[in-house]
Structures are given as structure tokens and as C-alpha cells.
Amino acid sequence: MRVREDFPMLESRMNGKHLVYLDNAATTQKPAAVIDRMTQFMRHEYATIHRGVYTFSQLSTRECDLVRERCRRFVNAERASEIIFTRGATEAINLVAASFGRKFLKKGDEIIISEMEHHSNLVPWQALCEEKGLLLKVAPINDKGELLLDEFEKLLAARTYFVAITHVSNALGTINPIREIIKMSHHAGAAVLVDGAQAAPHLKVDVRDLDCDFYCFSGHKIYGPTGVGVLYGKARHLEAMDPYQYGGDMIESVDFKKTTFAKPPAKFEAGTPAIVEIIGLGAAFDYLQKIGWEAIHAHENELLDYATQALSQIPGLAIIGTAQEKASLISFVLDGIHPHDIGTVLDQEGIAIRAGHHCTQPVMKHFKVPATARASFAFYNTREEVDALVKAIHKVLEIFR
Amino acid sequence: MTQEVKLDELYQEVILDHNRRPRNFGKLDDATHYAHGHNPLCGDDYHLYLKIDENGKIQKITFEGSGCAISKSSASMMTTFLEGKNGDEAEKLGSHFIGFMTKDTLSKEDREAVGRLKLFEGVRHFPVRVKCATLAWQALLNAVTGK
Ligand SMILES: Cc1ncc(COP(=O)(O)O)c(C=O)c1O
């Protein structure tokens, strides 16, 4: 794949070495197409949206509307009004917990999450449960890091009205059988939010095929800018939900006695949005479309296989997360060597990986490790970079032998 | 400074040795003072136990828990340093060491004040690791000042 030249950051050096960027699950680098589009917009097109009678504001408004439409296509939603711009996946989840959960869930109702959730798809539900007297149930995983579907199904009960589950695990790489989970949940009368933060960069998302009630992801993990994310919600939910924040842009009419709210998506987008970032996100959608999912899958799967093979041969290395279906991400530990020390040595070799609990402390607990090292791959990574990783891990072994 | 030198300074033989074979590792059942040191960022997590007699002397000091080489060796060396010292001395050394790790520039006195713990100076080239080196000492200060 000839894509590296599209990403200016990939030419950087770190600690005197060529940067080997393997922290894509945290955030991805940006193609020039995104950077240039944002710069161009700020230099020559920038104005606020919705409010201006003047031409530049109208053009800005139109550009943002076009990105919403591209996003609709990106997730295959039925209508563009089902796409809400948020600050990221975290805000999208909090929005649903507040505007849907707080309104529709009653004392004694149940919410199911999984053991592999990112804290951002766990803590908002926990807080809601405490506030409203709901019960939070956790679907367990096996030692390969796969969700136990049977156990999940058993948890679905008469009072289970909501399921919040990740599409792809950021700590383990597991791709969950989301379609089946949604089917089971709907059968039991529960609405489903899918945390797509780690799926959107790797898989074609089709919310109509999945039939999920909510789907969310962050712009910065799909080669777009920080500060913008997407919440898809089925129109009938969005219409019934309460607003999330109150302010400008989300009202129909205001007087001191009564305010009526705008229709979705405006109802959930109070205040001036991240206009420049929305424009950048649009450029990211275009860029991904140009590369194409087939090419992305082929390359990332090949890299995952190659890296899994290579890492497995390192003495004392154990891969955490060996699900049948995995995205291009490998969590690992080295016998007797703390991930932080691995991260520091690799950093000196110019290799960026993540070391820590990855905001998934329950997963760490399951595998009885305090933390893991994680190498996560994007379509711009290469076999040579995997080789560099392996070589650097050998250096870690040498130091700590 | 080249990368190799930086890494060698960080992972000095003494540090690696304390990491491999931490001294005074384990729980102290008759502890009079206790503190928990936790770095949520990287998951370093230690329990510190002290037995301080009526004269304020540290009779025994142990730690247990898990974390990186820097945090573990720092905790281990701390225990070897403090056994037999009194609480006030421990507190003073702790403040010196934390200053030594975090000050922008070091004077000759700063280096002298920490004695053999000077060998942690290499950690200063790695700002994100400074907290690892100071974790156990911070816990110590909490334990002896009763906070
Ligand atoms: C699975 C998962 N969910 C949610 C998030 C939160 O995304 P953000 O920090 O962009 O809001 C992340 C990011 O690390 C993630 O990996």
C-alpha cells in the first residue's frame, strides 16, 4: 500500500530514530488531505454556521451539512438527522446515558455491559445506575478475550432495557459478534448502544444491517481531528429523548415561560460546534473511501498475522487477547518485565506503543496483570515496522535478563 | 547524550538488581504505620509497612505490590536505607529525594543530600518515569506524617 507519504507525521524521528508509530488504537495520525482541508477552511472559508445571513456563514453551514451526509453514508444510516456531532465517543455515550437512560430507565431496571468495556462505556452506566437505582450486569469473557455469548444471553431478563457493548475491544482486539448480541437484546426488549470507537477505524460499519439503536465513534481514531465524534441514533429514539445540554442552536423558540426544542440533530448540538474539526472529519471520510475497506482489511489482517507470528516466537512473551476474530491490535506482557519498562526502552528505539491498563481495569483484573504493552496497527504500518518492534523487544530482554 | 547512554543511566545495574531481587519484600504483620502508594496512570501499586518504636526509630520497614523496575527498585532501596533510622530522618531524606527527582536544576548539595540514591539521577531524563521513582517515598511521607 502506498499510503505512507500521505501522512506527514510518519516522516518524523523520535529520539533520533525513525518514528515507528504503533499506538493507533489511542489515536491515528492525520493524512495531509485532512490537515490541508482544515487549513484551507480556516484560511479561506471560515465562518460560523446556522446564524449568519452572509455568504460565508451559509457556505460553512452547507459544508457541515455535507459532512453529516457523508457520515450518514459512512455508517449507512437512513437519514442524516440521525447523525449527531459530539466531542467524541465518550461524550456520545454520556449523551445517551443522560438523555435516554435518565429519561426511560426506572428504579430496578437493568443495564448489561461486558467485562471488556473501556471505562468510558462503563462509568457513565455505573453512575446512572447509582443515581436511578438500576442494576448493572456484566457479561463475562473467556481467557481468549471472547465474550461468552451464552452467558450474555442468560443475563437478559425481563427488566433488562439497555445493553451497552463495545464492537471491538481496545485492550484485547476482540471483534464482538455485535449483530447477534443486538438480535438477542432486541428479542428481550432491550435497546443497544454500540461503542464503535475501535471498530470504525477497521471495519465497514452498517448501522441498518446491525440494527443497533445507537452507535458512536471518535473522529481522531479514524484519521480525523480530535474534538469531534459521532453519535448515530435511531430517529424515533432521538425524537423521544431529552436534550443533553441546553443553549443556543438547539431551540425552536425561547421565552421566559417556555422553551421548545429543535428537532434532532440540532436538539443535541447546543452551542457552536467544532466547525473546523467537522470539516476535517469530512475529509477523513473521503480519504478512507479513497483507500477502500477491502485494501484496509487485506493489509491490516496481513500485518496482524505477521506480527502475531513474530511476537509469539519471543521467549517469555504472552499475548493477551487471542480471540478468533480480532482487529489489528496486540496486547502483550513479558515475563517479569513491567510494560512501562518495555515502553521506555521502545521509546528510545523510536517505537511508540501504549503501556498501561488502557482504561480497561476490569480486563487487566481478568488476566491478572497490572498492565499490558499494546501495539496497534493502522493500514500505513509495514512489516518492517513489525520487525523493528520485535528487534526492540529483544533489546528489552537483553537489558532485563 | 546518545540514546544508549540514557538507557544505561536509567537502568543501572543496581536498579536492575533491586528489581530482580527486591529487599524487604512482603507484609509486616506488626506494623505501626502503613501507607498505600498508587500511580493510576501506569498501575504501579505498593503497600508500605513500618514498625516504629516508642523512640521514633524505624525497627522494620517492608513493602509489597507490583510495578515497573524503577518504582520497585526505588521502594526496595528505600527500605534498605531507612531501617534503623528514626522517623524524622526518614522524612527529611524523603523530602530531599523528591526534591532531587523533581527540581529543575540540581546543585552539589542536592546530590550530596541523597547519598547513594544519586544513581536515580538518570530517571530525570525520562519525565514520565519520575513519578515511578518517587512513588514509594511519597507513600513513606504519608505514612510517617500520618496523612
Ligand atoms: C473502546 C473505546 N471506547 C471509547 C473510547 C473513548 O474515546 P474518546 O476518548 O475519543 O472519547 C476509546 C478510546 O480510547 C475506546 O478505545
Side-chain angles (χ1 to χ4, degrees), chain A residues 340-341 344 348 357 395 401, chain B residues 3-4 11 20 69 129:
Chain A
H340 247 217
D341 295 312
T344 293
Q348 293 304 302
H357 54 60
K395 176 156 187 184
R401 193 170 37 200
Chain B
Q3 310 310 312
E4 302 301 324
Y11 295 120
R20 268 190 294 266
R129 307 303 300 276

Side-chain angles (χ1 to χ4, degrees), chain B residues 18-87:
Chain B
H18 275 267
N19 177 50
R20 268 190 294 266
R21 297 185 301 120
R23 323 293 200 269
N24 301 308
F25 195 74
K27 197 174 166 190
L28 193 61
D29 285 329
D30 55 349
T32 56
H33 293 67
Y34 162 83
H36 182 206
H38 179 54
N39 180 353
L41 199 70
C42 47
D44 291 343
D45 192 24
Y46 296 103
H47 303 273
L48 181 66
Y49 306 92
L50 293 108
K51 188 178 171 195
I52 302 181
D53 66 20
E54 56 276 17
N55 303 320
K57 196 171 117 179
I58 298 172
Q59 289 202 331
K60 191 96 189 91
I61 171 168
T62 69
F63 78 107
E64 65 176 3
S66 69
C68 67
I70 303 301
S71 61
K72 188 180 281 177
S73 61
S74 177
S76 169
M77 284 181 72
M78 179 181 85
T79 62
T80 62
F81 251 65
L82 294 184
E83 201 167 298
K85 297 247 178 7
N86 69 39

Side-chain angles (χ1 to χ4, degrees), chain A residues 71-262:
Chain A
C71 185
R72 181 199 70 73
R73 260 184 282 149
F74 185 78
V75 299
N76 194 32
E78 193 177 334
R79 311 179 209 168
S81 60
E82 293 175 315
I83 303 297
I84 295 159
F85 292 125
T86 66
R87 277 198 305 121
T90 301
E91 189 180 57
I93 296 164
N94 277 277
L95 188 159
V96 176
S99 299
F100 185 94
R102 199 173 279 149
K103 179 157 188 183
F104 296 116
L105 300 179
K106 309 246 168 339
K107 190 171 161 61
D109 288 350
E110 299 169 2
I111 297 175
I112 300 178
I113 61 170
S114 86
E115 199 179 348
M116 68 173 94
E117 295 313 311
H118 189 280
H119 294 165
S120 64
N121 198 29
L122 186 169
V123 185
W125 304 111
Q126 201 169 43
L128 182 71
C129 286
E130 270 178 32
E131 177 189 321
K132 305 260 314 183
L134 316 174
L135 182 66
L136 189 67
K137 293 182 173 174
V138 183
I141 57 177
N142 64 19
D143 290 343
K144 292 165 90 177
E146 294 165 330
L147 189 78
L148 294 167
L149 213 51
D150 293 350
E151 297 299 315
F152 172 80
E153 191 166 26
K154 278 188 220 153
L155 290 180
L156 287 163
R159 294 202 65 178
T160 309
Y161 287 112
F162 205 83
V163 173
I165 182 120
T166 196
H167 196 165
V168 171
S169 157
N170 67 306
L172 303 164
T174 313
I175 302 175
N176 281 319
I178 286 291
R179 241 171 130 251
E180 277 172 271
I181 289 168
I182 293 165
K183 224 190 223 152
M184 288 176 178
S185 304
H186 284 173
H187 194 70
V192 182
L193 172 137
V194 179
D195 174 357
Q198 294 296 339
H202 301 292
L203 312 167
K204 168 81 187 116
V205 174
D206 185 334
V207 294
R208 269 188 285 181
D209 177 58
L210 291 176
D211 196 28
C212 53
D213 299 274
F214 300 98
Y215 196 99
C216 67
F217 58 91
S218 294
H220 70 94
K221 292 188 204 268
I222 61 157
Y223 312 94
T226 50
V228 66
V230 170
L231 172 67
Y232 157 82
K234 280 184 180 165
R236 63 185 164 88
H237 294 317
L238 296 180
E239 275 152 26
M241 284 155 65
D242 283 338
Y244 177 51
Q245 294 180 329
Y246 299 86
D249 279 336
M250 52 78 66
I251 47 85
E252 204 167 68
S253 72
V254 177
D255 75 29
F256 288 119
K257 290 214 186 62
K258 176 82 188 154
T259 292
T260 52
F261 301 116

